[in-house]
Amino acid sequence: MLRTYALSLPSNLIFGVGAVETVAEKVKEFGKSKVLVVTDKGIVGAGLLEKVLTPLEQAGIKAHIFDQIESNPRDHTVLKAFEFGKKKGCELIIGLGGGSPIDAAKAVGALMTNPGPLQDYLRGTPLKNPPLPLIAIPTTSGTGSEVTQFSVVTDTERSFKAGIGSPLLIPKVAIVDPSLMESMPPSLAAATGMDALTHAIEAFVSVNSQPFSDALALHAIRLIGAFLRPSVANGANQEARSQMAIASTLAGVAFSNAGVGLVHAMAHPLGGRFDVPHGVANAILLPSVMRFNLIARLEKFGQVAQALGEKVEKLSAVDAGKRAVEAISQLSADVGIPARLSEVNVKAEGLAQTAADAMNMKRAMGSNPRVVKQEEVEKLYREAL
Ligand SMILES: [Fe+2]
């Protein structure tokens, strides 16, 4: 008998160049007038905040700005944003930026309606009440946070990138506007694009994969295989940047519903401990982890190779799967991602503890297709060093 499948999504997704102009109309649909915008200084500096504030001002909507979110956002910063928003009486949140501001905005919205310290939720206490309504507006094509049920925040007491996961955290509205992604420098387009690819692949081979998420994941892999290189090569290539925006959102829906796996379980501790950008950590780990996972999902890794444009029809299942690994190493190198963790400040000392932290990423580990031991995780880190 077939399993039961569920797919959770934002109630409204608006995609297109200029879609950001609909933001005021979306706020009005909620009947709210006091808005908290959670973003970062880079977004303000790139002139992207203006693109949200102008339509709000024209509609007479008062926006309070919190622009101090850092990459790999910390619990203290989320609390600061929450206290600011609470003091101003905000009733709706706009998360504007890459994954960090949107993830922080989700946690802030949850704290507004759920009592208790943030630490409790980062350590597994389930959310009870629906957060304040959230409109998510991504400025990178990678995290998919605009459509996912996850918020990743660093628990500073434990130097641990912890996550809150709940369907209640899915933004009510996602506005995906590729024109906000034009200013991404090549290195950011590359890292976030590889993050999206990791989401799609991990969702596709997850033990919780299902037909609906598979269709989205596979199409995301195809689009990334075709458009990541030209998107990194030239930010003015609107077609490539738009297709990458579609891909990252598709991959976001896929992994929000099917989960991620060992790559993310291993990448998060590197973000928490060594501040490695999330997409870069994923991209470096992805080929080694795929090689490790290969025997669990031979046929599906062959499909990944095919989606990336590899000719695998005449190959054995094992060789087809290996082609996927090679294609990804090549793609990663072509877009300028370093090949080794030692190039991004990761040190050999303390990797046993990092491996223990990765084992603790229970949700991601639980959906990985191959069962993994701590010694194997440590070995994979050392291989990637
Ligand atoms: Fe990710």
Side-chain angles (χ1 to χ4, degrees), residues 143 195 199 255 260 264 268 278 282:
T143 68
D195 184 27
H199 295 151
F255 92 85
V260 282
H264 272 77
H268 282 318
H278 176 65
N282 279 333

Side-chain angles (χ1 to χ4, degrees), residues 9-288:
L9 296 155
S11 18
N12 197 198
L13 172 84
I14 305 115
F15 178 89
V17 171
V20 70
E21 285 159 29
T22 65
V23 65
E25 164 191 328
K26 292 293 142 193
V27 171
K28 284 192 165 164
E29 283 173 18
F30 288 98
K32 309 286 183 197
S33 56
K34 283 188 195 158
V35 173
L36 171 66
V37 180
V38 177
T39 188
D40 66 38
K41 292 257 191 296
I43 298 299
V44 179
L48 299 178
L49 178 62
E50 279 314 304
K51 296 202 174 194
V52 172
L53 292 186
T54 307
L56 291 178
E57 272 161 23
Q58 282 167 355
I61 297 164
K62 174 81 189 139
H64 300 279
I65 318 298
F66 184 90
D67 65 0
Q68 293 162 49
I69 304 298
E70 66 272 81
S71 63
N72 296 321
R74 293 174 174 83
D75 43 13
H76 303 301
T77 315
V78 167
L79 281 176
K80 252 170 95 178
F82 158 66
E83 277 152 18
F84 173 76
K86 186 143 189 121
K87 205 170 87 194
K88 300 289 184 193
C90 296
E91 313 159 302
L92 179 146
I93 301 183
I94 295 176
L96 172 72
S100 300
I102 297 178
D103 279 12
K106 287 173 175 171
V108 169
L111 288 176
M112 292 280 203
T113 55
N114 288 272
L118 171 60
Q119 241 70 12
D120 285 2
Y121 301 111
L122 294 177
R123 294 171 190 188
T125 304
L127 295 176
K128 282 204 185 75
N129 308 316
L132 287 191
L134 172 63
I135 300 177
I137 310 177
T139 59
T140 65
S141 44
T143 68
S145 185
E146 69 278 6
V147 291
T148 75
Q149 52 174 302
F150 306 114
S151 162
V152 179
V153 173
T154 300
D155 180 341
T156 48
E157 246 174 58
R158 299 186 290 164
S159 301
F160 184 67
K161 263 182 94 173
I164 316 176
S166 164
L168 294 173
L169 284 180
I170 299 176
K172 288 282 170 293
V173 178
I175 301 178
V176 183
D177 184 340
S179 72
L180 302 182
M181 300 165 193
E182 272 169 23
S183 60
M184 270 194 298
S187 58
L188 185 62
T192 54
M194 289 304 290
D195 184 27
L197 180 60
T198 310
H199 295 151
I201 292 175
E202 294 212 285
F204 190 59
V205 302
S206 159
V207 296
N208 297 314
S209 66
Q210 37 115 319
F212 300 96
S213 60
D214 275 2
L216 302 175
L218 205 53
H219 192 52
I221 297 167
R222 271 187 217 112
L223 291 177
I224 296 166
F227 293 102
L228 180 57
R229 288 179 179 90
S231 155
V232 170
N234 189 344
N237 183 336
Q238 210 176 58
E239 167 73 0
R241 290 263 159 137
S242 293
Q243 297 291 348
M244 282 304 301
I246 293 172
S248 70
T249 302
L250 291 173
V253 177
F255 92 85
S256 181
N257 288 280
V260 282
L262 183 53
V263 181
H264 272 77
M266 289 177 65
H268 282 318
L270 296 179
R273 230 165 249 279
F274 302 102
D275 233 5
V276 184
H278 176 65
V280 173
N282 279 333
I284 298 175
L285 294 166
L286 183 59
S288 315

